[in-house]
Amino acid sequence: MNSTLDKLIAQIGELPPLPVVTQKALDVIRDPNSSMGDLAKILSMDEAMTSLVLRWVNSAYYGLKYPVSTVQQAVTFLGQRTLHSLVLAASVASLLDRSAPGYALERGELWRHSIGVAAGARLIAAKFGQRIAEEAYHAGLLCDIGKLAFEVLLRNVDTSTEEWQGDFREMEYIHYGVDHATLGAEMARRWRLPNTLVDAIAHHHNPSEAEEGFLLAAAVHVADAAAMSLGIGIGKDGLQYILDEAACEKVGWSDSMFNDLSARIIPFVEEADQYIRARRKS
Ligand SMILES: [Fe+2]
């Protein structure tokens, strides 16, 4: 690890860990000898996870005729890939449902933005196959996870001063030597997520510099810009978004794609919003 990042993490104290239930579920998903029943068993043990899975499977998005009432049924219906995405979403929901005043984000906005980028990145990457599309969803969901760690430092900084004006990500660099993307990638690495995902998180603002995660970074980058222009979670780093040309070309970005995306992202974000509100009450 580079020493600037090392020092920054020491300053923060500790990076947010991945919840134990998620780590267990991801281990089962990665294990070729495990069954869908093993996964259902782990998910059933966690109330928040169970409620998310059931809420999602019964949402308008899937349009089921009869409601699904058990995790076991949901696991069978959704399949492992979608489940993988849900497990991650449920895990980061509690982490992302916080205000981030340093980024001018109110409580719930970081969650809404992340879920919007995730859904957008999945749609954008769909033409490259279902596996890539689900990975793009994960990368979108986690792209700004580093803001949670950065927030600990920014809490004590007045970012409305002249010193902090300009490209916010550049300001992170100037003041701390790394940006939220690098810090988020380090969190993902510690959570033992795949390298392509780590690379995509690290380069979601500069996808042309990504290596193995270029396609994912490109999908997330474009989805991030689209979510910003739809007004979903506009924080300080979204005010000066410059689209990367190579990324647009890679994913075949067009006006009709944007229209399609906005029509589908908005209901998805609303659904996620309802979920997080219900979660706060429980
Ligand atoms: Fe970002």
Side-chain angles (χ1 to χ4, degrees), residues 143-144 147 180 204-205 224 237:
C143 70
D144 278 342
K147 285 184 180 175
H180 68 273
H204 70 278
H205 287 288
D224 197 14
D237 78 336

Side-chain angles (χ1 to χ4, degrees), residues 82-246:
T82 307
L83 240 300
H84 191 176
S85 303
L86 276 179
V87 168
L88 270 183
S91 317
V92 294
S94 56
L95 293 175
L96 291 171
D97 187 31
R98 294 179 194 168
S99 64
Y103 288 98
L105 290 166
E106 286 178 15
R107 187 177 179 193
E109 267 188 290
L110 194 53
W111 160 252
R112 281 163 51 81
H113 179 70
S114 304
I115 208 86
V117 175
R122 178 162 59 191
L123 283 171
I124 290 168
K127 63 178 163 195
F128 300 98
Q130 211 206 329
R131 187 181 61 83
I132 299 284
E134 281 311 315
E135 283 176 5
Y137 180 89
H138 301 164
L141 189 65
L142 301 173
C143 70
D144 278 342
I145 200 99
K147 285 184 180 175
L148 293 174
F150 241 116
E151 175 56 23
V152 175
L153 300 174
L154 293 175
R155 226 175 270 163
N156 306 314
V157 176
D158 181 4
T159 54
S160 64
T161 59
E162 209 178 312
E163 201 193 344
W164 275 86
Q165 300 316 304
D167 181 335
F168 203 76
R169 201 170 60 90
E170 212 166 295
M171 292 297 124
E172 293 170 348
Y173 264 121
I174 292 169
H175 291 271
Y176 298 102
V178 294
D179 68 350
H180 68 273
T182 309
L183 197 51
E186 178 59 19
M187 284 167 68
R189 197 185 64 79
R190 291 178 181 210
W191 290 354
R192 296 187 287 121
L193 296 177
N195 288 342
T196 42
L197 202 53
V198 173
D199 191 35
I201 294 169
H203 298 104
H204 70 278
H205 287 288
N206 53 340
S208 293
E209 286 172 39
E211 290 171 11
E212 56 203 314
F214 174 59
L215 175 55
L216 296 185
V220 170
H221 176 76
V222 174
D224 197 14
M228 295 283 184
S229 67
L230 290 170
I232 302 169
I234 298 180
K236 290 205 170 198
D237 78 336
L239 299 176
Q240 304 197 5
Y241 217 104
I242 298 165
L243 266 176
D244 181 292
E245 264 180 53

Side-chain angles (χ1 to χ4, degrees), residues 254-276:
S254 65
D255 284 353
S256 73
M257 222 168 152
F258 176 77
N259 293 337
D260 185 35
L261 210 70
S262 48
R264 296 179 67 182
I265 286 184
I266 291 167
F268 197 81
V269 170
E270 277 165 12
E271 189 80 45
D273 212 22
Q274 281 174 26
Y275 163 73
I276 206 80

